[in-house]
Amino acid sequence: MRRRSLLILTTVITTGALTLTACGSRDDKGGSNNDSKGTTTVVIGVDAPLTGSLSALGQGIKNSVDLAVQTANKNNEVPGVTFKIEALDDQAVPASGQANATKLVGKKDVLGVVGPLNSGVSQQMQGVFAAASLAQVSPANTNPSLSQGDNWGKGEFKRPFPTYFRTAATDVVQGKFAAQYLFKDAGKKKVFVVDDKQTYGAGLAAIFSAEFTRLGGKVVGTDHVTVKETDFSSTADKVKASGADSVYFGGQYPEGGLLSDQIKKTGAKIPTMGGDGIYDPAFIAASAEANDGDLATSIGYPVEKLDTAKKFIADYKAAGYKDAYAAYGGYSYDAGWAIIQAVKAVVAANGGKVPTDARAKVTEALGKVSFDGVTGKVSFDEFGDTTNKQLTVYKVEGGKWIDVKSDTFNQ
């Protein structure tokens, strides 16, 4: 799907070696304050929608990166370095994301970025970061072109920006996985496809449609909705008239929940399926009609069922964040930790100090990062994409999302 972070470096020079004397504490804005003396402070910036309709996801991203920073400081992960975050709100608006990228690049001490949530926002940020050799690791972007170029669908793969990485699987994987589940496991043969005309939603819907058709299914109709609108009755009527046995929606939960509700109100008691953009309790809450049976795919396996995530879940709860880690918490923590590990490698290779060309070196080091993270093995391929291709299908049952199938997808 879509989807943020940043680094700031301030060097305090003292006589002798640098030593870590204090770790950060969260402030009201989600930043990690510290007043350590005689250390180098590396700030990991976070770009996410911290306000607006997608703030549930954005706050989870911010908090999870903050937790990674707290853990690194507590454990003295990089001797002589104290980590801090600076969280910026893009409101899921591309222009805001670009402005945030420019702001972060302008601070000479920023060494890396976690974010953003939305692929469309990332498209406006990538070039800004690349021009400054500033690495970004998104925990949520899923559009393939961000890492594989605009012609990936033709089999021409070219990485546009060497500074771009992600811990989320792409829509190539997610869209095909959804189509295979809906056709083979759910037994649906006639689907009506709707998207929100955004980079994430339209791209995901196209990949799903191609795979569903290849499997032998039929797309019996298509339509588009507009983000932030609430009346989708005309689309719902088209779905009912088409005779579809299912709906696939490429978009986010605010529109997806309303669309499911309005389709069911026509009398078409058929499931609506979508990607990780609708996998959120807010999708269920947006529907006045019971939407049991609706489906969603999401990247990775359920965090709550991963042995590797037990400490993250316990630490997140203990930290007292008022917002849940949500769909991308584990991937956000891993994105932040990947930057921390890259900084660790760079500092170690430079005699325990942050080098003057740290941005370029951190980017290079990220490509070689490999560790066991919250979501499993964390490493990146030649395109900066995650090597972890695990996905899960969730179904609404009793007003809650329940995982029904998890698997590793091999193209």
Side-chain angles (χ1 to χ4, degrees), residues 43-389:
V43 180
I44 299 178
V46 181
D47 178 86
L50 303 178
T51 59
S53 62
L54 298 180
S55 61
L57 298 175
Q59 292 292 338
I61 290 170
K62 179 199 71 176
N63 293 342
S64 299
V65 178
D66 185 73
L67 182 60
V69 163
Q70 302 304 320
T71 303
N73 290 338
K74 180 180 178 181
N75 297 341
N76 194 15
E77 187 69 20
V78 184
V81 171
T82 297
F83 290 94
K84 180 181 178 181
I85 74 165
E86 178 176 338
L88 300 179
D89 182 12
D90 63 30
Q91 298 180 310
V93 176
S96 296
Q98 186 177 52
N100 289 346
T102 300
K103 178 180 179 180
L104 290 162
V105 162
K107 299 181 179 181
K108 65 179 182 179
D109 296 332
V110 174
L111 300 185
V113 182
V114 174
L117 170 73
N118 306 83
S119 291
V121 175
S122 195
Q123 285 180 326
Q124 299 302 310
M125 302 177 82
Q126 285 182 303
V128 178
F129 290 140
S133 299
L134 182 59
Q136 69 172 122
V137 186
S138 173
N141 291 165
T142 55
N143 186 282
S145 63
L146 296 172
S147 57
Q148 299 177 22
D150 292 337
N151 294 323
W152 64 268
K154 301 177 182 178
E156 301 173 14
F157 305 105
K158 184 178 180 181
R159 189 176 183 179
F161 302 104
T163 49
Y164 181 80
F165 300 84
R166 58 176 136 199
T167 53
T170 72
D171 289 333
V172 173
V173 177
Q174 187 174 198
K176 289 182 178 180
F177 188 67
Q180 290 176 14
Y181 181 87
L182 193 64
F183 184 83
K184 296 178 180 179
D185 296 81
K188 303 302 181 182
K189 308 302 179 184
K190 300 185 295 181
V191 65
F192 194 103
V193 178
V194 184
D195 70 69
D196 64 0
K197 299 179 283 189
Q198 302 298 300
T199 300
Y200 162 70
L204 184 59
I207 294 166
F208 167 87
S209 297
E211 180 68 4
F212 193 81
T213 301
R214 186 191 71 79
L215 292 170
K218 184 177 181 180
V219 176
V220 296
T222 61
D223 203 2
H224 311 282
V225 299
T226 301
V227 172
K228 296 185 179 180
E229 287 192 358
T230 58
D231 183 2
F232 306 130
S233 57
S234 63
T235 297
D237 288 339
K238 292 176 185 177
V239 171
K240 179 70 163 60
S242 72
D245 59 16
S246 53
V247 175
Y248 188 82
F249 175 63
Q252 312 279 357
Y253 60 77
E255 292 75 32
L258 292 173
L259 178 65
S260 172
D261 176 67
Q262 292 170 34
I263 288 172
K264 290 173 174 57
K265 284 179 177 176
T266 68
K269 304 300 183 182
I270 59 178
T272 294
M273 187 178 197
D276 53 334
I278 73 166
Y279 174 56
D280 193 277
F283 169 87
I284 300 171
S287 179
E289 294 287 313
N291 51 8
D292 281 16
D294 283 353
L295 300 159
T297 53
S298 190
I299 53 177
Y301 292 168
V303 170
E304 294 77 12
K305 294 189 176 182
L306 291 174
D307 288 339
T308 54
K310 288 181 178 179
K311 188 176 186 304
F312 164 75
I313 294 172
D315 289 349
Y316 193 96
K317 182 178 180 180
Y321 299 109
K322 67 176 183 178
D323 297 290
Y325 51 78
Y328 305 104
Y331 300 93
S332 302
Y333 185 100
D334 285 346
W337 199 254
I339 293 175
I340 290 167
Q341 292 305 302
V343 172
K344 183 177 182 178
V346 169
V347 170
N350 194 52
K353 298 180 180 180
V354 177
T356 55
D357 58 345
R359 284 183 174 178
K361 281 190 165 60
V362 167
T363 295
E364 181 181 0
L366 267 171
K368 303 172 184 177
V369 159
S370 180
F371 61 91
D372 293 323
V374 172
T375 59
K377 191 70 175 182
V378 178
S379 60
F380 306 101
D381 64 17
E382 67 270 30
F383 300 103
D385 286 332
T386 179
T387 57
N388 186 340
K389 301 294 195 293

